[in-house]
Amino acid sequence: MTTPLLSVRNLTTEFHLPDGKVARALEDVSFDVLPGQTVGLVGESGCGKTTTLMSVMRLLPASGRITSGRALFQGRDLLQLSEPQMRAVRWKEMAIVFQGAMNALNPVMKVGDQIREAIELHNLMDRDAAEKRVGELLEMVGIQRARRDQYPHQYSGGMRQRAMIAMALACSPDLLFADEPTTALDVMIQAQVLQLLKEIQKELGLAIVMVTHDLGVVAEVCDSVVVMYGGKVAEYGTADAIYNAPQHPYTRRLLASFPDLNRPGDTLASIPGTPPRLTDLPTGCRFHPRCDVKVEACETVSPPMLETEPGHYAACHLCQGREARFS
Ligand code: SF4
């Protein structure tokens, strides 16, 4: 069996809000990322996708606390590292591409200089070698070297996102986190950026964890999918299993609410109700206020995570399987 590059286990994160309330943003989140694999974190806004990335990268705002869990990356628990140790891991071993490249890039600095700065900050490279690497990275993401001296506003949205990917790859990480990397882009450019990520992944053997609310993106690029709801994992399995044999009622509703190119005549069904407030989570199954197949136990008893098929997990009282053990 392939050893995972990253194993997240029982990750639980809270935010302490100014009004004294505590938002339970993540509870018992577990999943694996294999080398060279793409894992999609999906779910509606506020379900904990981005908080999962930020917890693993240890980039939570001051109000955030990881209260329990592990994030084993290449043999080390990232949650136990000191901040200087963690700084050595970020960018060199794992990097992140944020959504909205215009906000992430410095508007008054040439794009090439920003990439070079990222290289120089983390690598013991002299200026000439770093400059050579800038050219290589721009080419890798399909930007002409001649555009190195332009500013972000002179780039299109797709090019800016490519530049962000180049910057994230500056130190040749093994794992790339991509937080809604195509959200602000139109459909054509979105497809190009996804294609680019796939090519880079193949070329570099990179593992990617992609946060998205777009199940079309997941179908396009992901090997495994973690479906999140109200800060917990609702279902987790291969992309094939999640798409073709979804077990959890939320996953089914989510899939039914997205257009399927293979079934153009299908009517899209929205999920009634709204996701739970993390400061006021429902008892029992967090999906029960919106679930149209709930049974009595759903309102009071939190469903355990079950392994319904080897490698396919779902947390629902209606599912059959043995209780999952994530070691
Ligand atoms: Fe619906 Fe109950 Fe399953 Fe939750 S546990 S998804 S409420 S059936």
Side-chain angles (χ1 to χ4, degrees):
M1 213 176 106
T2 314
T3 306
L5 184 66
L6 173 70
S7 289
V8 176
R9 291 291 176 271
N10 309 108
L11 184 61
T12 300
T13 297
E14 295 175 348
F15 288 101
H16 293 254
L17 307 181
D19 61 6
K21 288 188 176 156
V22 174
R24 198 129 225 244
L26 297 180
E27 188 174 319
D28 266 341
V29 171
S30 298
F31 63 93
D32 286 330
V33 184
L34 300 182
Q37 191 191 47
T38 299
V39 176
L41 301 186
V42 301
E44 295 162 288
S45 295
C47 69
K49 307 179 299 270
T50 299
T51 304
T52 302
L53 295 196
M54 292 313 207
S55 298
V56 174
M57 286 286 274
R58 300 260 310 274
L59 289 173
L60 289 171
S63 60
R65 309 245 191 299
I66 298 168
T67 56
S68 58
R70 289 175 293 151
L72 298 170
F73 178 70
Q74 314 222 23
R76 290 154 298 174
D77 183 357
L78 298 177
L79 308 187
Q80 299 301 324
L81 297 187
S82 65
E83 184 46 34
Q85 286 171 323
M86 197 59 212
R87 268 202 296 275
V89 171
R90 280 190 219 112
W91 302 110
K92 278 192 167 178
E93 298 181 57
M94 54 168 65
I96 187 164
V97 179
F98 294 102
Q99 57 177 302
M102 196 59 192
N103 301 331
L105 287 166
N106 182 340
V108 294
M109 196 173 175
K110 291 171 183 168
V111 172
D113 287 347
Q114 297 189 49
I115 299 174
R116 196 193 64 226
E117 201 172 69
I119 297 168
E120 288 176 338
L121 204 63
H122 304 283
N123 276 305
L124 299 171
M125 249 186 212
D126 64 27
R127 177 62 62 101
D128 287 349
E131 200 49 57
K132 189 163 165 261
R133 180 90 178 122
V134 171
E136 289 166 4
L137 287 163
L138 286 174
E139 265 183 13
M140 190 188 292
V141 298
I143 297 175
Q144 294 166 348
R145 287 180 190 234
R147 302 195 70 161
R148 183 231 174 274
D149 285 332
Q150 290 186 328
Y151 292 90
H153 73 269
Q154 294 172 291
Y155 277 31
S156 66
M159 280 176 71
R160 286 195 291 267
Q161 198 57 296
R162 285 165 183 266
M164 285 303 299
I165 294 170
M167 207 180 294
L169 298 176
C171 304
S172 309
D174 298 308
L175 176 61
L176 183 70
F177 291 115
D179 187 2
E180 302 272 11
T182 59
T183 297
L185 306 174
D186 71 43
V187 178
M188 288 294 289
I189 307 297
Q190 204 176 76
Q192 287 171 14
V193 171
L194 289 179
Q195 184 58 31
L196 170 70
L197 282 171
K198 279 205 276 192
E199 285 166 13
I200 288 172
Q201 178 174 46
K202 208 164 156 199
E203 194 179 325
L204 305 180
L206 197 67
I208 299 177
V209 178
M210 188 175 294
V211 159
T212 180
H213 63 275
D214 186 336
L215 287 167
V217 168
V218 173
E220 183 75 15
V221 297
C222 293
D223 301 292
S224 298
V225 181
V226 183
V227 182
M228 299 186 70
Y229 187 82
K232 293 183 89 167
V233 175
E235 188 163 359
Y236 166 42
T238 63
D240 185 43
I242 297 285
Y243 274 87
N244 297 315
Q247 301 293 308
H248 196 284
Y250 176 61
T251 311
R252 292 203 196 110
R253 298 299 297 242
L254 205 57
L255 287 169
S257 68
F258 272 82
D260 184 340
L261 294 179
N262 298 317
R263 296 201 297 271
D266 281 5
T267 321
L268 299 185
S270 63
I271 309 176
T274 51
R277 279 206 311 273
L278 299 174
T279 48
D280 188 19
L281 289 163
T283 54
C285 172
R286 290 183 182 172
F287 187 55
H288 88 252
R290 304 170 75 189
C291 184
D292 57 358
V293 291
K294 67 180 172 190
V295 292
E296 206 180 322
C298 302
E299 295 188 12
T300 50
V301 183
S302 180
M305 182 63 81
L306 301 175
E307 188 166 20
T308 59
E309 294 284 339
H312 190 170
Y313 305 89
C316 172
H317 289 306
L318 301 185
C319 290
Q320 306 282 328
R322 59 181 185 140
E323 199 156 329
R325 296 255 174 267
F326 291 103
S327 53

